[in-house]
Amino acid sequence: MPGGFAFHRRGGMAGILVATLLLGLAATPVGAAEKDLTDKGKVLVEKNCSRCHAIGKEGDSTHPEAPPVRTLSSRYPIDDLAESLAEGIVSGHPDMPIFVFSPTDVEAIIEYLKSIQDQPSPPAEQPKQ
């Protein structure tokens, strides 16, 4: 049965090759996937929020009552905004429209917001007494 052995061996090699290819396809770099999600979030925020809010790491909002989105973490935990984004953000300000986003859009927006938040200043050292 040498021919059978050779066939089995080639079949085994083909199986290893297929498994290697599948693993390679599944091993998309996590950083690339996160960047894609963050980029999608940026597009959504630009489209829906930039009319009033500053949406980048710098700049002022065009609407005086609209805080820059990079400062939202000083008011709310960013992850806590997911429910409001999914169910419809309602603010006390009458000019703000109600937005409702899909779960994948919410995830993208949250990732973008996290990526641009102002970092809190380190606490000032207290003078020793």
Side-chain angles (χ1 to χ4, degrees):
M1 288 192 123
F5 177 74
F7 175 75
H8 178 69
R9 185 171 158 208
R10 273 186 255 133
M13 292 300 282
I16 290 171
L17 179 61
V18 168
T20 303
L21 289 172
L22 290 175
L23 284 173
L25 291 174
T28 302
V30 173
E34 288 174 2
K35 182 176 179 345
D36 289 346
L37 195 59
T38 302
D39 288 346
K40 178 182 179 180
K42 181 179 182 182
V43 169
L44 289 165
V45 170
E46 284 175 344
K47 178 181 176 188
N48 294 286
C49 310
S50 65
R51 182 180 70 161
C52 298
H53 295 270
I55 60 160
K57 290 186 176 190
E58 298 177 341
D60 297 323
S61 295
T62 57
H63 193 292
E65 294 185 40
V69 294
R70 69 180 172 276
T71 66
L72 291 176
S73 64
S74 67
R75 299 165 193 239
Y76 318 97
I78 295 301
D79 287 318
D80 289 358
L81 296 173
E83 185 176 346
S84 294
L85 290 166
E87 294 179 2
I89 288 184
V90 179
S91 76
H93 193 283
D95 290 349
M96 183 161 167
I98 297 174
F99 295 103
V100 179
F101 297 97
S102 72
T104 54
D105 288 351
V106 168
E107 183 182 9
I109 291 168
I110 294 294
E111 288 304 312
Y112 175 69
L113 292 176
K114 286 179 180 179
S115 77
I116 64 163
Q117 292 307 294
D118 285 342
Q119 298 301 315
S121 302
E125 287 190 34
Q126 298 289 328
K128 294 185 181 183
Q129 298 177 352

